[in-house]
Amino acid sequence: YRYLTERERGREREGETRVGAMNGLSLGQNTIPMKDHDAIKLFIGQIPRNLEEKDLKPLFEEFGKIYELTVLKDRFTGMHKGCAFLTYCARESALKAQSALHEQKTLPGMNRPIQVKPADSEGRGEDRKLFVGMLGKQQSEDDVRRLFESFGQIEECTILRGPDGASKGCAFVKFSSHAEAQAAINTLHGGQTMPGASSSLVVKFADTDKERTLRRMHQMAGQLGIFSPMTIQFGAYGAYTHAQMMQQQAALMAATQGSYLNPMAAIAAAQMQHMAAFNVNGLVAAPMTPSSGTSTPPGISAAAVPSIATPLGVNGFSALPPQSNGQPASEPIYTNGIHPYPGKEEPTPLQLAYFNRLLSKHSFPQQPAIIPQQQREGPEGCNLFIYHLPQEFGDAELMQMFLPFGNVISAKVFVDRATNQSKCFGFVSFDNPSSAQAAIQAMNGFQIGMKRLKVQLKRPKDANRPY
DNA sequence: TGTTATT
């Protein structure tokens, strides 16, 4: 059975394939076969490939009336897979067959004894298996066994490893009973933190097939940059999974929509207080419509809004110095990505422009539905590190804040896992360096309440910390 | 200064 592919095992659980089922054949033609409510579906392994249902039937009928006997065959080639599923009408028959046959005799031409045991689809099979996360990378199978052995009989213990053999910091542990597994969860989950791990031990039941499929889909969607559920519906996945995706997305969208307004309003309010002290060319609080990125508020000449009117602007912003339009610059603009905080309390023209956009409730272009992304780094020069974020900012708010500068391929606020509180820093990645530079120009030093945003290029992985 | 990983 261990040679079955994962697809076949999944098919077994879904009950999709029934080849040569004997349902209704073994009994009188007018009789609907009945089985016990708690009947056990058995997996039969190590069957010679020349034996079909009719050949196997006599062997197993010895232990009771057969409800269904199905030889597993390749879905496409129809080839005999050397194994079968067997359900007796009576639960007792299955138990008898198992104890009499399992590993007890070897069928002709086979070099291993026949396997007779409850199929994985019979519940109880997989609810004894635990996923263990947040292990130390150097912990061995034996280390993990020692950790779990006091809770019961361990049937299997596997550390997940990459191609190079390095531990992924997680493992599967299979107990002989559900109760043992549950006891291990109760005691170990969230307990000690292993050396080198970033959080306390995770002990939970392993994913079911459906959960695994969903997770893989999400990963794939993230990697391919698929944003809409419609993109997926013609893919290689089943309808039920698609329906689940839709539900999840709807929930996510609702959550995102509901949460992003308040923090943004908070920023706008903070900025408004701050800005009330200034009046630059009458621009303060003058709304700008996004659909016409170069428009000016009533009564304001276009020349008074240089940074907005620049043709090279991205979504109304420009990485070019505002003085290029003949307007006095309130401060120098730096293009090396390391922009000192503005030395005075006055916002830069770019910040002003941004503020104006913030104040307009239509300021942000409508984005397509977005699946939360895997944290993706963009190319060199496209990734920003942002510090001093407002406490209430999440990924969605961070993304909203940087969308005006270009295509945000990832926005991630770091969260303390223990408290679920933002660590007030995060990452934003664009798909091109110009957008990243425009964001730095506009947002570095951007004042929110008593803090100023720090917006820099993300430090490369190999960079030495000078301090 | 990209955190948690599902044979």
Side-chain angles (χ1 to χ4, degrees):
Chain A
Y1 185 35
R2 72 178 58 134
Y3 300 115
L4 280 184
T5 65
E6 201 51 39
R7 169 187 290 177
E8 286 165 336
R9 299 175 67 143
R11 210 162 62 200
E12 168 199 333
R13 283 172 202 137
E14 295 299 321
E16 284 178 36
T17 307
R18 295 275 166 85
V19 182
M22 298 196 61
N23 190 351
L25 294 181
S26 61
L27 296 171
Q29 58 188 26
N30 295 324
T31 309
I32 299 173
M34 295 292 289
K35 63 179 171 85
D36 287 356
H37 182 254
D38 56 356
I40 301 168
K41 183 179 187 176
L42 295 173
F43 169 81
I44 315 294
Q46 297 300 317
I47 304 171
R49 291 176 196 266
N50 60 340
L51 297 189
E52 301 295 337
E53 281 87 356
K54 62 173 169 41
D55 309 308
L56 296 165
K57 193 178 154 195
L59 172 63
F60 294 107
E61 267 182 341
E62 185 181 329
F63 304 97
K65 192 173 291 182
I66 293 173
Y67 172 75
E68 182 177 62
L69 175 59
T70 307
V71 166
L72 222 68
K73 296 195 168 163
D74 184 276
R75 173 174 287 188
F76 302 109
T77 69
M79 196 173 73
H80 193 302
K81 298 297 286 186
C83 53
F85 292 123
L86 166 65
T87 308
Y88 286 100
C89 295
R91 176 184 177 85
E92 189 56 31
S93 305
L95 296 174
K96 271 158 52 181
Q98 180 178 4
S99 65
L101 297 176
H102 181 60
E103 299 263 9
Q104 294 306 118
K105 64 184 294 184
T106 300
L107 266 21
M110 295 287 104
N111 46 24
R112 283 171 47 86
I114 192 170
Q115 303 291 300
V116 179
K117 55 188 180 183
D120 277 359
S121 57
E122 294 302 274
R124 301 287 170 225
E126 297 301 282
D127 66 352
R128 316 163 345 209
K129 191 190 302 188
L130 299 177
F131 173 81
V132 185
M134 287 292 94
L135 287 168
K137 293 274 196 282
Q138 69 288 15
Q139 284 183 286
S140 68
E141 332 258 330
D142 279 349
D143 294 331
V144 176
R145 277 181 184 275
R146 273 192 285 278
L147 204 56
F148 284 84
E149 64 189 1
S150 66
F151 300 97
Q153 181 72 35
I154 296 174
E155 286 189 6
E156 174 190 318
C157 175
T158 319
I159 305 257
L160 272 63
R161 299 180 185 279
D164 56 351
S167 166
K168 291 183 175 179
C170 55
F172 290 110
V173 174
K174 191 172 187 178
F175 280 99
S176 62
S177 78
H178 177 76
E180 292 168 343
Q182 184 66 63
I185 291 175
N186 294 155
T187 301
L188 293 180
H189 178 66
Q192 52 194 309
T193 297
M194 296 304 172
S198 65
S199 183
S200 59
L201 199 62
V202 171
V203 183
K204 50 191 283 208
F205 287 113
D207 278 359
T208 64
D209 282 356
K210 276 184 189 174
E211 290 165 332
R212 192 182 325 173
T213 303
L214 265 172
R215 183 164 32 73
R216 284 185 181 164
M217 286 186 65
H218 278 141
Q219 280 176 352
M220 196 179 296
Q223 283 170 2
L224 297 176
I226 296 169
F227 296 118
S228 164
M230 299 301 288
T231 317
I232 289 171
Q233 76 175 352
F234 299 112
Y237 297 96
Y240 85 89
T241 310
H242 178 242
Q244 282 177 288
M245 286 272 301
M246 297 283 279
Q247 284 180 334
Q248 288 206 344
Q249 280 212 329
L252 280 166
M253 286 168 66
T256 304
Q257 300 284 336
S259 64
Y260 93 83
L261 290 173
N262 283 341
M264 275 312 198
I267 280 202
Q271 283 295 98
M272 206 176 304
Q273 286 180 329
H274 170 65
M275 304 279 288
F278 303 95
N279 187 335
V280 182
N281 290 340
L283 261 177
V284 172
M288 182 184 77
T289 31
S291 53
S292 53
T294 57
S295 74
T296 52
I300 307 291
S301 76
V305 200
S307 64
I308 295 176
T310 303
L312 292 180
V314 178
N315 287 336
F317 288 89
S318 171
L320 294 181
Q323 59 265 41
S324 64
N325 252 11
Q327 287 294 311
S330 59
E331 62 170 285
I333 300 293
Y334 295 81
T335 56
N336 63 0
I338 308 298
H339 187 299
Y341 291 173
K344 43 193 184 248
E345 286 302 306
E346 196 167 337
T348 68
L350 284 166
Q351 290 173 352
L352 259 186
Y354 182 75
F355 173 59
N356 285 331
R357 291 178 70 92
L358 267 185
L359 287 184
S360 165
K361 69 175 180 180
H362 300 300
S363 61
F364 297 110
Q366 283 301 109
Q367 291 298 116
I370 290 173
I371 296 177
Q373 296 264 45
Q374 301 294 109
Q375 58 276 15
R376 290 165 62 200
E377 283 197 48
E380 178 81 29
C382 300
N383 307 298
L384 302 180
F385 171 69
I386 294 103
Y387 198 38
H388 296 146
L389 287 168
Q391 179 70 48
E392 56 278 1
F393 257 47
D395 294 352
E397 292 75 31
L398 185 60
M399 172 168 286
Q400 290 292 328
M401 183 158 56
F402 283 88
L403 273 177
F405 307 103
N407 295 322
V408 176
I409 63 176
S410 165
K412 191 80 199 161
V413 173
F414 263 46
V415 167
D416 184 302
R417 293 208 139 83
T419 66
N420 239 9
Q421 295 284 298
S422 163
K423 291 181 176 173
C424 296
F425 71 87
F427 299 92
V428 169
S429 294
F430 291 97
D431 62 357
N432 72 86
S434 298
S435 295
Q437 287 302 322
I440 292 172
Q441 302 294 342
M443 296 306 294
N444 187 40
F446 188 84
Q447 182 159 353
I448 303 175
M450 297 302 293
K451 298 194 295 188
R452 286 181 182 276
L453 285 186
K454 178 174 172 176
V455 181
Q456 300 176 341
L457 287 177
K458 182 179 114 62
R459 211 165 59 196
K461 280 188 171 51
D462 52 13
N464 297 325
R465 281 235 58 179
Y467 167 56

